[in-house]
Amino acid sequence: MRIFQLGAIDATHINAAGGKAKGLERLAREGFNVPPGFVMIDIEEERDLDAAAEHYLKSGLGKVAVRSSATVEDGADYSYAGQFKTVLNVEGGDEFKKAVLECLNSLEDVTAKEYSEKLSKGGEIKMSVVVQSMVDADFAGVCFTSDPCNADNLLVEAVVGLGEAVVSGTAATAGYSVPRDLLKNKDADFNTVADGQNLLSAHLLKEICIESARLQEIFKMPMDIEWAVKGDTIYWLQARPITVTEVCNEGELDPKEDLTGCVITRCNVGEMLPGAVTPLTLSVSVYAIDFGLRKMLCLAGANKKMRAIPDFGCVFSTSGHLFFNLSYLYGFSKAIYLTGKDGVDMSICGRHLEETGKILGKKANFFKKMHNTRKYLSFVLSRNKARAEITALADTFKIAAGENAAQMYAEIDKAKYAADRVTYLHYITSSHSGAMSSAVIQILLDKLNDADKSKAVLAELLEGIDGIESVDILASLRRVARAVLEDNPAARAYNSEELAVYLKNAGAKTTEARAEFLKRHGHRAIREAELRSCGWADDEKAFTEYLRTVIMSGAKDSETSAPPDLKAVIRAQGFRGLSAKILKYLVNQARDGVKNREYSKSKMIKVLDVFKQAYRKLAVMLVAEGKLPDEDAVFFLTHEELGVVANGAAPALAKKTLQRRRLLKTQQELCFSEVYTKKPVPLPFTSLAQSGEVLRGAPISRGKVTGPARVVKNAADAGQIQKGEIMVAAYTDIGWSPFYCLIEGLVTEVGSPLSHGAVVAREYALPLVSNIAGATSLIQTGDIITVDGEGGCVIKH
């Protein structure tokens, strides 16, 4: 074993010191303020640990950080970021030796070799250990000398205390994007950059940026630099090249096609997969959604071949958020009769869009159009056949396990067709539902000449539908809650942790009811088409918290809406004779369509849940083989990129996962308008609504209620809902179902009469107004609001 002080490693041993030590050595030699310490190279025997501990005790460093430094780490090509061990706040000889061993053993996790073999034979990868005086930081963070979102800027991210959470991507950070030109002016005012962050002072931010830019000049490449601040002193903890040559930014995976003149909307797809999605979800779930639409357009004759529409032509992402290109769907009107822009608008958006744009598709002559119309009607009316096939596929689908990452990926890749197929089958039932509901509302519009009134009547006609899958979620959860209270009345007072312990040893009724719920609904979740979201069967904590919410509500079944007297409602709108019979037939078809649509969606999610589990198995293997920094990183590569990584061809992609994970936090905060006629761009921040202001939207579920608002942006917000509140959310989600027993009404930013929220709200007679742009910004938790589910408005008091 050899020990060198930082700043004094000789040239013959610098490569053996590992990437982390090399970066620190360069920092120290260039005069940067590096915490004092030493590097241990070639630790091969047990007695080396004793010698190392003795050296540490004599060094007088006190409390230290002990970090691994592998020969492959932090290079220009290989990252291994986050793969090896760091132990903080180490003090005392025994703790020191334990920390050194943890760092050495972390190499075993990567190479899958026995520790004894590694020490005696060395091998391709060697591990050294860096020991530095522990900086008790006031705040810390990282600086990218090339901002992933803007290469002309530096990006500084900071947190209070130690910076490990920034590096891992798990903590909320203050971010500062600093124009490089600002550094050229010594009198530049950094207060404008730092304003509002309430963490770094303008002076410290300026010093961090200036020194980081100097490091880029020294290393002659963009750098990823870790720093810490104690008082007014900046310490430099690590410097590594940014290994990914492509710039990681919010729009990295956006389509490259020119969307000018196309009609773009976030409606419908923004409810199915709300917020920003991960790259893996984009390449699997979203690709399948897009595939199903392109196949449907091809079948209808709007396009001769599927390749006439590019991948992600119908459904695509902008900064991770999903949109429909309606211009392709408008192409139906060129290929088949009985279709047009209004039908597509009503089916997707629940309203007529004023925006006009391109109609993309192949124009058919009279005879071809008749042929295509027959094919499309056959497609829409084949819903029962599609339901049978989707049931068989979902109930039998499995992905075989591989023995290593390459084999596991091959099995997933081989099965990927199933995601495309099940989504296409779901489109058959969904198209039938949408077509029937659109026909009903068009007839109502022609008669009533009032869009809001027509939507309110449609909502009434769709109430009280028996056997809806999504409605059964809350009903089934209530059955579990009642079983818990019958087996153990004391459970009413349990917190989530106590309830989780009880469920592990619950009585027979509870065990049976829980098993039945998970068998039927265990694959469902919040943002369930997002592959990163675990199903309830695999997320014990989420299931327990939902169950506790229902137990606290009393677990009594709510009175659901009774089926309307269709004949009476239709007559009340002025329909008589043949027109009334036609409308009643279409209403019955629409009601049947809602039930089939919800059922097929559940089965589609069941197939995606199998993929979720398979990708998690792949993640474990990739981490064990040293190809990913952690298991969560699997969701930040596309399916195709994972194939490259699994086969060991692109280790630099591991670093890219960390950058994309940081970017996701930024993407999630973005808001968009409902409709665009060009590539979507995020909205500026929306100021709060004023007292007395009326927010106009779409009436989705009847009723009127006044109460305190609860703004829900994530599961943690939903967990704070109190009985009697009105939920205000960007979208409705199957995962919110357990909270419907507490709320008195709903307000959403997007939605349609066929959305999950609309279906459940109608069944439980909850007033719902949708399409309130920026609702979660205009309204704050605690605001008193009135939701008018017939007038289609929300009033802030």
Side-chain angles (χ1 to χ4, degrees):
M1 180 184 70
R2 292 177 178 273
I3 298 178
F4 295 92
Q5 294 301 115
L6 278 174
I9 306 175
D10 64 45
T12 59
H13 292 92
I14 189 65
N15 288 329
K20 195 175 275 103
K22 285 172 72 175
L24 287 167
E25 180 71 12
R26 188 75 179 274
L27 285 169
R29 287 179 180 268
E30 294 291 345
F32 287 83
N33 186 28
V34 175
F38 56 90
V39 181
M40 300 178 292
I41 301 172
D42 295 331
I43 306 172
E44 296 183 353
E45 300 178 9
E46 184 69 27
R47 64 184 181 185
D48 289 339
L49 292 176
D50 293 329
E54 184 179 351
H55 183 89
Y56 155 68
L57 292 171
K58 289 181 179 179
S59 70
L61 291 174
K63 192 178 293 185
V64 294
V66 181
R67 304 176 189 271
S68 57
S69 181
T71 52
V72 296
E73 193 175 8
D74 294 342
D77 298 313
Y78 291 79
S79 167
Y80 284 81
Q83 184 71 101
F84 302 117
K85 191 70 176 179
T86 291
V87 186
L88 304 178
N89 295 309
V90 177
E91 194 169 14
D94 291 340
E95 288 299 314
F96 179 81
K97 286 194 288 185
K98 181 181 175 182
V100 172
L101 272 176
E102 285 189 48
C103 290
L104 293 172
N105 281 326
S106 66
L107 183 57
E108 181 181 76
D109 296 334
V110 176
T111 62
K113 295 179 179 179
E114 292 296 323
Y115 179 54
S116 59
E117 179 184 351
K118 179 179 80 267
L119 287 181
S120 61
K121 296 181 180 179
E124 184 180 358
I125 304 174
K126 291 186 177 182
M127 181 69 79
S128 296
V129 177
V130 176
V131 180
Q132 287 180 282
S133 177
M134 189 72 202
V135 178
D136 185 19
D138 295 326
F139 32 84
V142 296
C143 177
F144 292 98
T145 60
S146 179
D147 186 341
C149 300
N150 185 346
D152 293 329
N153 289 14
L154 291 82
L155 174 65
V156 177
E157 292 185 337
V159 293
V160 174
L162 302 177
E164 298 300 314
V166 180
V167 179
S168 66
T170 59
T173 63
Y176 309 84
S177 188
V178 181
R180 200 175 302 277
D181 289 344
L182 206 59
L183 306 182
K184 298 175 182 178
N185 180 3
K186 66 178 182 179
D187 297 321
D189 182 7
F190 273 66
N191 281 300
T192 56
V193 182
D195 184 45
Q197 298 292 324
N198 299 319
L199 196 58
L200 289 178
S201 68
H203 168 72
L204 282 172
L205 179 61
K206 181 177 182 179
E207 288 302 309
I208 289 169
C209 290
I210 289 173
E211 293 296 281
S212 296
R214 186 161 76 89
L215 265 173
Q216 176 168 311
E217 292 178 6
I218 291 169
F219 281 83
K220 295 183 170 50
M221 63 181 67
M223 299 295 291
D224 175 354
I225 306 156
E226 295 180 31
W227 52 267
V229 170
K230 178 65 176 175
D232 289 327
T233 304
I234 301 172
Y235 295 89
W236 301 93
L237 307 179
Q238 199 168 333
R240 61 172 75 90
I242 295 177
T243 57
V244 183
T245 55
E246 302 170 19
V247 175
C248 247
N249 56 53
E250 292 171 12
E252 178 192 4
L253 300 176
D254 291 0
K256 308 308 177 195
E257 287 76 28
D258 183 6
L259 298 174
T260 304
C262 294
V263 180
I264 310 297
T265 183
R266 69 187 179 109
C267 290
N268 189 284
V269 73
E271 298 170 77
M272 182 179 184
L273 254 174
V277 301
T278 58
L280 183 59
T281 298
L282 184 64
S283 63
V284 179
S285 302
V286 179
Y287 178 86
I289 296 169
D290 178 69
F291 173 90
L293 276 173
R294 289 186 290 123
K295 186 173 178 68
M296 185 173 68
L297 285 165
C298 182
L299 180 143
N303 293 91
K304 190 173 182 180
K305 295 181 179 179
M306 280 189 65
R307 65 171 177 264
I309 305 176
D311 288 353
F312 300 104
C314 293
V315 177
F316 63 92
S317 74
T318 291
S319 298
H321 293 250
L322 302 186
F323 295 87
F324 267 125
N325 187 342
L326 295 182
S327 287
Y328 278 114
L329 299 187
Y330 292 157
F332 275 124
S333 64
K334 288 186 174 184
I336 59 178
Y337 291 109
L338 305 176
T339 62
K341 179 180 183 299
D342 283 346
V344 171
D345 289 350
M346 292 304 303
S347 180
I348 300 299
C349 304
R351 65 183 178 90
H352 169 72
L353 300 183
E354 298 296 331
E355 293 83 356
T356 58
K358 296 176 181 177
I359 299 177
L360 301 173
K362 182 179 175 61
K363 187 174 182 179
N365 60 33
F366 171 81
F367 297 103
K368 184 65 175 175
K369 215 169 182 180
M370 288 294 294
H371 176 66
N372 290 340
T373 302
R374 180 189 63 79
K375 286 201 304 180
Y376 182 67
L377 286 174
S378 177
F379 168 85
V380 171
L381 296 175
S382 66
R383 64 194 184 282
N384 292 331
K385 182 180 178 181
R387 177 177 170 132
E389 184 180 345
I390 205 171
T391 300
L393 176 58
D395 290 350
T396 60
F397 179 63
K398 295 179 181 178
I399 297 176
E403 294 183 4
N404 54 45
Q407 290 180 12
M408 187 71 232
Y409 176 81
E411 293 293 341
I412 297 173
D413 191 57
K414 186 168 63 176
K416 193 169 177 288
Y417 79 92
D420 302 337
R421 181 64 182 172
V422 76
T423 307
Y424 170 69
L425 292 170
H426 172 60
Y427 270 123
I428 296 177
T429 62
S430 187
S431 294
H432 171 260
S433 176
M436 296 301 110
S437 293
S438 295
V440 170
I441 203 162
Q442 191 60 55
I443 291 173
L444 291 171
L445 274 170
D446 291 342
K447 182 75 172 180
L448 304 177
N449 197 30
D450 184 327
D452 286 345
K453 175 67 174 175
S454 299
K455 291 174 188 175
V457 172
L458 176 64
E460 183 177 4
L461 291 169
L462 294 180
E463 289 175 355
I465 303 173
D466 290 332
I468 296 178
E469 189 81 9
S470 55
V471 174
D472 185 68
I473 290 174
L474 179 53
S476 294
L477 201 54
R478 279 176 165 149
R479 285 194 286 273
V480 181
R482 287 197 295 273
V484 169
L485 293 175
E486 286 177 24
D487 283 339
N488 181 13
R492 190 182 300 274
Y494 285 173
N495 60 32
S496 295
E497 293 75 17
E498 291 168 335
L499 182 59
V501 172
Y502 170 72
L503 290 175
K504 287 181 169 57
N505 302 286
K509 287 184 179 179
T510 298
T511 301
E512 183 180 348
R514 179 172 180 266
E516 181 61 31
F517 175 86
L518 293 178
K519 179 182 178 181
R520 183 165 181 179
H521 302 299
H523 56 285
R524 310 306 294 265
I526 292 176
R527 302 183 76 236
E528 55 193 0
E530 164 60 64
L531 297 183
R532 198 184 186 199
S533 299
C534 283
W536 287 326
D538 298 316
D539 191 344
E540 181 181 307
K541 181 179 179 183
F543 172 78
T544 304
E545 288 176 349
Y546 292 149
L547 179 59
R548 179 173 175 267
T549 297
V550 176
I551 289 172
M552 292 177 65
S553 75
K556 294 180 181 178
D557 282 328
S558 300
E559 289 188 13
T560 55
S561 300
D565 183 338
L566 299 184
K567 185 176 180 179
V569 175
I570 290 170
R571 286 183 62 84
Q573 310 312 315
F575 290 91
R576 300 289 188 276
L578 181 62
S579 64
K581 291 180 180 179
I582 292 173
L583 181 56
K584 184 178 179 182
Y585 170 79
L586 291 173
V587 168
N588 280 321
Q589 288 290 305
R591 289 170 65 85
D592 186 56
V594 168
K595 184 163 59 177
N596 278 332
R597 179 176 180 264
E598 289 289 307
Y599 175 85
S600 68
K601 181 180 179 181
S602 176
K603 293 299 183 183
M604 179 184 72
I605 296 301
K606 190 173 183 180
V607 170
L608 289 179
D609 190 60
V610 176
F611 279 97
K612 291 178 185 181
Q613 295 176 46
Y615 279 115
R616 284 189 165 86
K617 290 178 184 175
L618 175 61
V620 171
M621 294 175 179
L622 289 171
V623 171
E625 294 175 17
K627 295 172 180 176
L628 283 184
D630 55 59
E631 293 172 19
D632 184 59
V634 75
F635 302 107
F636 294 90
L637 295 175
T638 66
H639 174 77
E640 294 72 23
E641 288 172 337
L642 279 173
V644 175
V645 171
N647 288 287
L653 282 171
K655 183 67 170 288
K656 201 165 194 174
T657 65
L658 301 181
Q659 295 178 341
R660 285 176 174 170
R661 183 157 53 194
R662 290 191 183 106
L663 279 173
L664 184 66
K665 292 184 296 181
T666 301
Q667 292 174 318
Q668 292 286 19
E669 295 299 318
L670 300 177
C671 293
F672 292 85
S673 294
E674 273 194 12
V675 185
Y676 294 85
T677 54
K678 58 182 179 180
K679 182 178 178 179
V681 293
L683 293 169
F685 174 76
T686 305
S687 60
L688 292 173
Q690 301 300 309
S691 179
E693 187 171 345
V694 178
L695 307 175
R696 296 288 175 185
I700 301 295
S701 181
R702 297 183 305 148
K704 189 173 184 178
V705 65
T706 298
R710 172 68 64 175
V711 176
V712 172
K713 296 184 178 181
N714 50 48
D717 292 340
Q720 300 299 312
I721 291 175
Q722 302 297 311
K723 192 170 182 62
E725 291 182 326
I726 296 169
M727 182 192 291
V728 180
Y731 52 88
T732 55
D733 193 287
I734 200 81
W736 303 149
S737 296
F739 301 105
Y740 283 32
C741 59
L742 296 176
I743 62 175
E744 295 294 329
L746 274 166
V747 178
T748 64
E749 295 180 346
V750 295
S752 73
L754 299 181
S755 69
H756 162 75
V759 171
V760 178
R762 285 195 295 268
E763 292 310 301
Y764 288 107
L766 294 173
L768 167 58
V769 174
S770 191
N771 299 324
I772 302 285
T776 56
S777 297
L778 293 165
I779 300 169
Q780 286 185 308
T781 293
D783 287 347
I784 303 300
I785 60 175
T786 294
V787 179
D788 184 347
E790 294 191 36
C793 67
V794 176
I795 303 170
K796 181 178 177 181
H797 297 286

